[in-house]
């Protein structure tokens, strides 16, 4: 899986994500204002034969664009500009019509990419796949079109089609690092760890960016392969700003997996010293203490994780495990219940809670 901790390092190239930073409240106010304007405009209509206006078409903030669209109704770029402005206002439903219009007027890649992003935001996955299939058919030499379609297939439960796209692209360019990386992520999701490692090795060899190296190091760590340490140490040597966290975290995972818990704890402490809000570092550090049988230290660490993020079910679960190991069943049950309240599908927490409530003894490990 993609690491959650990649705060730094070079980001993947060629993404066309739209700006989604506006709040839901702002969007609701935006729609309300435009709706009121639309109602007022409709009241002022003289005849039923006139074409209805939308809330966008009568919004004064869009007057210049709207006038241009009325003057040049076949200009796709104008609809695209308005759609992007609406997206920046977080008005994705309203932007949908303009993206659709721009695509119908001019079905080219530059109109398809933001339209596809809009469909993803709105959860119109089938429509998005249909769009991207058309785009890929017309631009199958464009790697971005292929990767977007493969991502859409993978997200829509069609991994075989996604792999076919990746393999077809790699048949044309066997060392395309981003396609290798995306293929590796999919293979990892499909539990094909060896295939994922091979793809990541090629990606990292082709382009030695941190993103590829850290993902490879993470898989090595889970395989108890010391190459994980080599990659992380190399990346840390390049980190002159001393801001990276993930290499320490991955090294901690490696040491924990080979049961060198004190070394693991030292790495997780390095994560925390650089960012004390790294919840997963507290969780893994607490689990290391737990495996060592130091349940009091584990409890202190899990409580710190809860202080950092009181909505993480794993923190309550492992705090419950620690209480259970100390034979404090009431406290253990309470924390298992909190974990379940945050994650209704937390099966192990529910099983342990039910067993304790039923009075069954359960081993601590």
């Amino acid at each position: 899986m993609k690491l959650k901790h990649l705060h730094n390092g070079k980001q993947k190239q060629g993404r066309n994500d739209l700006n989604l930073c506006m709040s839901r409240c702002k969007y609701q106010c935006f729609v309300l204002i435009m709706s009121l304007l639309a109602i007022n405009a409709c009241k002022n209509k003289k005849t039923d034969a006139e074409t209805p206006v939308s809330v966008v078409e009568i919004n004064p903030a869009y007057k210049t664009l709207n006038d241009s669209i009325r003057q040049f109704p076949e200009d796709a770029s104008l609809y695209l500009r308005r759609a992007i402005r609406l997206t920046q206002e977080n008005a994705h439903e309203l932007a949908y019509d303009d993206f659709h219009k721009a695509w119908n007027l001019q079905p080219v890649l530059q109109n398809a990419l933001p339209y596809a992003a809009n469909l993803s935001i709105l959860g119109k996955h089938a429509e998005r796949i249909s769009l991207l299939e058309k785009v890929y058919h017309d631009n199958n030499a464009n790697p971005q079109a292929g990767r977007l379609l493969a991502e859409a297939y993978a997200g829509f439960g069609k991994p075989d089609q996604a792999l076919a796209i990746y393999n077809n692209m790699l048949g044309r360019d066997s060392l395309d690092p981003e396609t290798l990386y995306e293929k590796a992520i999919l293979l990892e999701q499909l539990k094909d760890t060896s295939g994922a490692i091979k793809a990541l090795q090629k990606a990292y060899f082709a382009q030695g960016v941190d993103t590829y190296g850290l993902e490879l190091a993470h898989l090595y760590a889970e395989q108890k392969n010391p190459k994980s340490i080599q990659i992380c140490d190399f990346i840390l040597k390049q980190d002159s700003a001393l801001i990276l966290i993930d290499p320490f975290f991955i090294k901690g995972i490696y040491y924990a997996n080979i049961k060198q818990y004190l070394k693991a704890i030292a790495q997780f402490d390095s994560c925390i010293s650089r960012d004390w809000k790294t919840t997963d570092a507290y969780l893994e550090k607490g689990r290391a203490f737990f495996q060592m049988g130091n349940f009091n230290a584990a409890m202190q660490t899990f409580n710190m994780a809860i202080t950092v993020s009181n909505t993480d079910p794993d923190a309550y679960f492992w705090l419950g495990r620690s209480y259970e190991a100390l034979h404090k069943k009431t406290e253990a049950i309470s924390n298992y219940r909190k974990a379940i309240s945050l994650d209704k599908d937390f099966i192990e927490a529910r099983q342990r809670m039910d067993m304790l409530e039923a009075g069954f003894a359960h081993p601590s490990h």
Side-chain angles (χ1 to χ4, degrees):
M1 64 181 178
K2 295 182 182 179
L3 290 172
K4 294 189 288 183
H5 310 282
L6 295 176
H7 304 302
N8 303 285
K10 185 174 180 181
Q11 299 299 312
K12 296 186 296 176
Q13 302 296 311
R15 288 286 180 246
N16 283 272
D17 294 333
L18 298 172
N19 181 7
L20 306 179
C21 66
M22 307 305 290
S23 68
R24 182 183 299 268
C25 180
K26 183 173 181 180
Y27 165 62
Q28 291 172 338
C29 292
F30 175 81
V31 173
L32 177 59
I33 291 169
M34 290 204 295
S35 297
L36 292 172
L37 289 167
I39 291 170
N40 184 60
C42 289
K43 286 180 179 178
N44 293 329
K45 284 290 183 181
K46 294 182 179 179
T47 69
D48 293 335
E50 294 180 72
T51 304
V53 294
S54 74
V55 291
V56 181
E57 291 171 329
I58 49 77
N59 184 354
Y62 288 77
K63 184 180 186 306
T64 301
L65 260 178
N66 290 339
D67 289 345
S68 296
I69 288 173
R70 278 190 285 270
Q71 186 176 0
F72 305 103
E74 301 301 310
D75 188 339
S77 68
L78 295 173
Y79 293 97
L80 181 64
R81 284 171 55 194
R82 191 167 69 179
I84 291 173
R85 276 193 60 183
L86 287 165
T87 298
Q88 290 168 346
E89 294 285 350
N90 227 18
H92 306 296
E93 291 86 352
L94 297 174
Y96 168 80
D97 290 335
D98 279 347
F99 279 128
H100 184 73
K101 182 70 173 179
W103 167 252
N104 283 340
L105 286 172
Q106 192 176 15
V108 295
L109 188 63
Q110 69 183 40
N111 291 337
L113 296 180
Y115 183 21
N118 174 267
L119 292 172
S120 179
I121 293 167
L122 297 177
K124 298 178 181 289
H125 301 299
E127 187 175 347
R128 180 170 183 254
I129 286 179
S130 178
L131 169 69
L132 291 174
E133 285 175 338
K134 167 66 174 171
V135 171
Y136 181 62
H137 179 270
D138 295 340
N139 303 270
N140 62 7
N142 185 298
Q144 188 176 10
R147 284 194 293 266
L148 281 173
L149 178 57
E151 263 187 19
Y153 278 144
F156 203 57
K158 296 182 176 183
D160 291 340
Q161 290 93 322
L163 281 175
I165 296 289
Y166 288 137
N167 290 334
N168 183 50
M169 295 171 64
L170 291 170
R172 293 193 296 267
D173 182 359
S174 62
L175 292 179
D176 175 8
E178 190 167 355
T179 300
L180 285 164
Y181 174 74
E182 294 292 346
K183 179 182 177 181
I185 296 301
L186 177 58
L187 290 172
E188 189 179 353
Q189 292 169 353
L190 296 174
K191 310 300 182 185
D192 184 357
T193 304
S194 62
I197 287 175
K198 289 177 182 177
L200 284 169
Q201 287 172 333
K202 291 181 180 179
Y204 193 42
F205 175 81
Q207 188 176 18
V209 299
D210 292 350
T211 302
Y212 307 150
L214 290 172
E215 192 67 41
L216 178 59
H218 179 251
L219 289 185
Y220 278 147
E222 296 294 356
Q223 297 288 306
K224 304 178 184 178
N225 188 328
K227 289 181 180 178
S228 174
I229 301 298
Q230 296 172 14
I231 294 174
C232 289
D233 284 344
F234 175 79
I235 291 174
L236 285 169
K237 286 180 181 178
Q238 315 305 312
D239 179 29
S240 58
L242 304 179
I243 56 176
L244 290 179
I245 296 171
D246 294 285
F248 292 114
F249 184 84
I250 293 168
K251 288 173 69 174
I253 294 295
Y254 169 77
Y255 286 125
N257 284 340
I258 63 172
K259 302 186 187 305
Q260 294 189 24
Y261 297 117
L262 290 177
K263 287 186 176 181
I265 289 168
Q267 299 302 319
F268 297 133
D269 279 339
S270 293
C271 291
I272 294 166
S273 69
R274 289 195 174 184
D275 183 358
W276 69 272
K277 293 183 179 181
T278 310
T279 307
D280 285 350
Y282 291 106
L283 290 173
E284 296 299 336
K285 177 182 176 180
R287 289 176 61 184
F289 277 129
F290 186 93
Q291 295 300 329
M292 293 171 63
N294 190 344
F295 302 120
N296 286 318
M299 289 171 58
Q300 292 176 359
T301 309
F302 294 133
N303 274 315
M304 277 301 302
I306 291 170
T307 299
V308 171
S309 175
N310 62 5
T311 58
D312 192 317
D314 286 325
Y316 292 104
F317 171 77
W318 281 100
L319 185 56
R321 289 289 306 271
S322 301
Y323 276 121
E324 185 179 349
L326 293 171
H327 308 292
K328 297 183 177 181
K329 296 183 179 180
T330 301
E331 292 86 347
I333 289 171
S334 174
N335 280 282
Y336 290 146
R337 186 171 286 115
K338 288 177 182 176
I340 295 166
S341 71
L342 293 168
D343 181 359
K344 304 297 183 184
D345 298 321
F346 204 145
I347 296 174
E348 188 176 358
R350 188 174 299 279
Q351 289 174 338
R352 299 190 82 93
M353 183 185 73
D354 291 344
M355 293 181 74
L356 286 178
E357 287 182 333
F360 291 110
H362 199 281
S364 300
H365 300 277

